[in-house]
Amino acid sequence: MLVAIILATILVVYLVDSFYWRRRKLPPGPMPLPLIGNMVSLMAAADPVDQFLKWRKQYGPVYTVWLGPFANVFVTDYDVMHDAFVKQGDAYAGRMRNYAVDQVRGGNKGLIFSDGNLWLEQRRFALHVLRDFGVGRSIMEDNILTESRALVDGIREKLHKSGESTEVEVTPLLTVCIGSIINALVFGYRFENDKLEEFVHLKKLLDQGVSPEFQFLFFIAGPISTKLPFIRSSWNRFKSCMGGIYDFIDKNLAAHRTTFDPNEEPTDFAYAFLNKIHQLKQQGKSIENYSNRQFTNVAFDLWGAGLETTLTTLRWSILYMIHHPEVQEKIHQELDRVIGRDRDVIMADKPTLPYTMATINEVQRRANLFPFNVPHTTTQEVTLAGFQIPKDTIIQPLISCVHRDEQYFPSPDLFQPERFLNSDGSLKKVEQLVPFSLGKRQCMGESLARMELFLLFANFMHNFNVSAPTGKPLPTLKPKIEVIFATLLVVYLVDTFYWKRRKLPPGPTPLPLIGNMIPFIAAADPIGQFLKWKKQYGPVYTVWLGPYANVFVTDYDVMHDALVKQGDAYAGRMRNYAVDQVRGGNRGIIFSEGNLWLEQRRFALH
Ligand code: HEM
């Protein structure tokens, strides 16, 4: 009987929490299901962006969607996004923390996962270095053109070797090309000859690092979950994979240390970093923000963020050209007319190639690389579109919705480079094209990526026609979304096994959803179980009744210190939907709190 009452109470509390309490301060949104939130609707949609747009019609431009048990506030309208992420940028520039990040990266270091002062200083420093190395200027242009020529030559060589065949797999060559550009920037060398093997190994590690298994681990990893059978071996493999990438970075940094000369101008990011340390030391300033660990993580971020994004966009561009031979034809005509057949396309040609540029814009809009953005968090309480949103809320500028917004992009599902052209054929600037996001966290590699996309795409098209292999169907344009859902599942598990528990007293490991209910149900008497836990974890411990963490105080002295000596701090009550509805709010004595309770209790006692 007692167990039944406990279970019924827990169920009620759980439902109130899911359906009312946790949602009361957030913008409206679809009703989440316990545990899985709004995942079913997202999974059922062919493309998550379709579902985001539907919700926008229903709830307005700002709404809350539960990805598993996590409330995410989504901002889907350009103007609201701009007002928040650009005009009040600092308040929206936080990032979530994570156990795997802490363990593998040694804390919230680097660029993507850091925030606060470290992030601010390092972002400023990295942008400064990128500018010094000519990102947006000719030094970088020369590097990219070198890789572009190597790519074109590589494809020709393969075509030549394959004799009659006109089929070449472009991705491996394109991958080396973009890998070499980023590596030349970070460590000063490209991947050729004997270095090629190093790159193949590194790319394999990077691919493994983003495999669904490791994405999963990245989120569920916690001090306890990583010791569980199955997860432990996967976690060890994950660490060894990440370790392999850090080894590559450490090896290169060590080589730079031996050749570093403070009197010479830095020629790559690693030298610039060492130079900065040297300057700070000379000025007697702290080098805390320029530790080895910080360098390895910054290098990791530049590498990781710089390779996959640009590569994937270029692969989409080839795919769209296969699907739209009429666009390909117009690009060829423009390139032949403006460039001729005797030279490469260079950055100075950009203003004279509006159709090619419009096509790149349309590829970025349609490819919509980030259906979800990298989540931000609020660094303070904010007011957004009339909602008060608490500090530390996960919030995402959904740039993918802007790219599909009919007010800015009529017939958004069509691939139409012309939408980026004025009636006189010149390139039209459309402010709402934001593939690099916006605000303080806007992509740091945007200038580099824009140069790469233009030079590599234009020169590729200047040399080749692309089409699907004869007799084979056109490759699909549908996005792959399984990875996203695997990630969300992982996020849920991390939350249960680590995040929600990290600040609470110790206690038995809870299972998802049912928490620690099994030992209760199995025990003949729940008090016997409480006493057992007291022996194991001490007088104060955390037990999960279903999905709710309850801190239990089991010792008289501790109880007295808390509930008597600091009584006010322990006098609150949980709110409950049934109480609100039936009693018209937190009235009465048992369910009220704050001033009302204080006064009414005093009056009743009197
Ligand atoms: C087509 C290519 C690229 C696209 C579409 C792209 C897009 C993005 C997006 C959407 C974000 C998240 C912004 C946010 O949190 O709101 C981001 C962040 C970032 N990107 Fe890129 N990116 C590209 C290329 C690059 C390149 C080449 C680099 C490196 C050189 C790079 C480095 C970064 C870094 C370091 C961040 C984190 C910035 C921060 O948190 O402060 N990206 N990128």
Side-chain angles (χ1 to χ4, degrees), residues 85 95 111-114 119 123 130 178 182 185 298 301-311 313-314 364 369-370 372-376 397 399 434-446 448-450 452-453:
F85 291 86
R95 290 273 196 233
L111 295 166
I112 300 177
F113 296 103
S114 61
W119 164 72
R123 183 174 163 111
L130 292 187
I178 295 163
I182 196 74
L185 179 71
V298 170
D301 288 347
L302 290 174
W303 241 100
L307 179 64
E308 215 54 42
T309 45
T310 317
L311 176 64
T313 308
L314 284 165
Q364 286 208 277
L369 229 53
F370 289 78
F372 297 77
N373 204 327
V374 180
H376 296 216
I399 51 179
V434 280
F436 298 97
S437 195
L438 68 184
K440 299 265 170 179
R441 284 280 179 177
Q442 183 167 346
C443 174
M444 265 189 50
E446 177 173 351
L448 171 60
R450 285 190 186 283
E452 289 179 280
L453 292 181

Side-chain angles (χ1 to χ4, degrees), residues 203-220:
K203 181 69 171 74
K204 214 163 111 190
L205 292 175
L206 282 167
D207 288 345
Q208 263 177 36
V210 294
S211 68
E213 179 198 355
F214 287 167
Q215 284 190 31
F216 182 76
L217 255 184
F218 182 78
F219 290 101
I220 61 157

Side-chain angles (χ1 to χ4, degrees), residues 235-512:
W235 172 245
N236 288 338
R237 272 185 286 123
F238 175 68
K239 283 203 300 188
S240 124
C241 167
M242 292 294 128
I245 302 174
Y246 283 112
D247 283 350
F248 160 79
I249 295 173
D250 286 341
K251 188 191 78 188
N252 274 295
L253 183 59
H256 276 69
R257 277 189 202 289
T258 57
T259 48
F260 172 64
D261 178 350
N263 300 313
E264 276 184 21
E265 274 296 302
T267 48
D268 57 37
F269 193 91
Y271 282 135
F273 201 90
L274 293 173
N275 199 43
K276 179 77 184 178
I277 295 174
H278 177 75
Q279 280 173 10
L280 288 172
K281 278 185 179 163
Q282 294 244 305
Q283 294 160 4
K285 291 187 182 159
S286 161
I287 55 165
E288 197 191 342
N289 285 348
Y290 292 84
S291 60
N292 242 6
R293 216 49 205 263
Q294 175 59 17
F295 175 81
T296 49
N297 284 303
V298 170
F300 195 116
D301 288 347
L302 290 174
W303 241 100
L307 179 64
E308 215 54 42
T309 45
T310 317
L311 176 64
T312 310
T313 308
L314 284 165
R315 291 180 69 200
W316 274 109
S317 70
I318 296 174
L319 198 55
Y320 274 110
M321 292 307 97
I322 293 174
H323 276 261
H324 294 276
E326 75 291 354
V327 173
Q328 206 177 154
E329 182 53 35
K330 283 187 193 167
I331 292 176
H332 283 144
Q333 281 172 11
E334 182 176 75
L335 290 169
D336 285 349
R337 181 166 36 81
V338 177
I339 310 295
R341 300 301 318 156
D342 307 326
R343 68 172 179 90
D344 290 330
V345 183
I346 57 170
M347 284 309 285
D349 296 318
K350 212 169 153 178
T352 60
L353 296 172
Y355 193 82
T356 307
M357 283 306 299
T359 305
I360 295 172
N361 285 352
E362 184 66 344
V363 166
Q364 286 208 277
R365 187 189 72 81
R366 279 303 286 131
N368 234 356
L369 229 53
F370 289 78
F372 297 77
N373 204 327
V374 180
H376 296 216
T377 55
T378 48
T379 57
Q380 61 189 62
E381 185 177 90
V382 291
T383 306
L384 177 65
F387 301 107
Q388 289 287 114
I389 297 176
K391 181 176 183 280
D392 292 330
T393 302
I394 305 173
I395 187 158
Q396 302 201 23
L398 279 190
I399 51 179
S400 57
C401 283
V402 177
H403 292 162
R404 298 262 308 273
D405 193 328
E406 291 193 356
Q407 3 165 11
Y408 310 119
F409 304 106
S411 307
D413 295 340
L414 298 181
F415 183 82
Q416 284 178 336
E418 287 73 13
R419 66 173 86 243
F420 290 102
L421 292 175
N422 292 308
S423 51
D424 64 358
S426 59
L427 189 67
K428 191 198 295 182
K429 173 148 181 50
V430 181
E431 196 189 328
Q432 289 78 14
L433 177 71
V434 280
F436 298 97
S437 195
L438 68 184
K440 299 265 170 179
R441 284 280 179 177
Q442 183 167 346
C443 174
M444 265 189 50
E446 177 173 351
S447 304
L448 171 60
R450 285 190 186 283
M451 283 181 91
E452 289 179 280
L453 292 181
F454 173 69
L455 291 173
L456 295 174
F457 177 71
N459 280 303
F460 177 83
M461 293 308 291
H462 197 29
N463 283 279
F464 304 108
N465 278 309
V466 284
S467 57
T470 350
K472 292 196 183 147
L474 287 180
T476 180
L477 288 168
K478 287 209 174 108
K480 272 193 188 169
I481 52 175
E482 311 88 63
V483 175
I484 296 169
F485 292 119
T487 308
L488 295 175
L489 176 64
V490 168
V491 171
Y492 166 71
L493 292 174
V494 176
D495 184 61
T496 306
F497 285 106
Y498 167 65
W499 195 247
K500 285 198 202 160
R501 301 177 68 207
R502 77 200 186 289
K503 287 190 179 166
L504 294 170
T509 302
L511 288 175

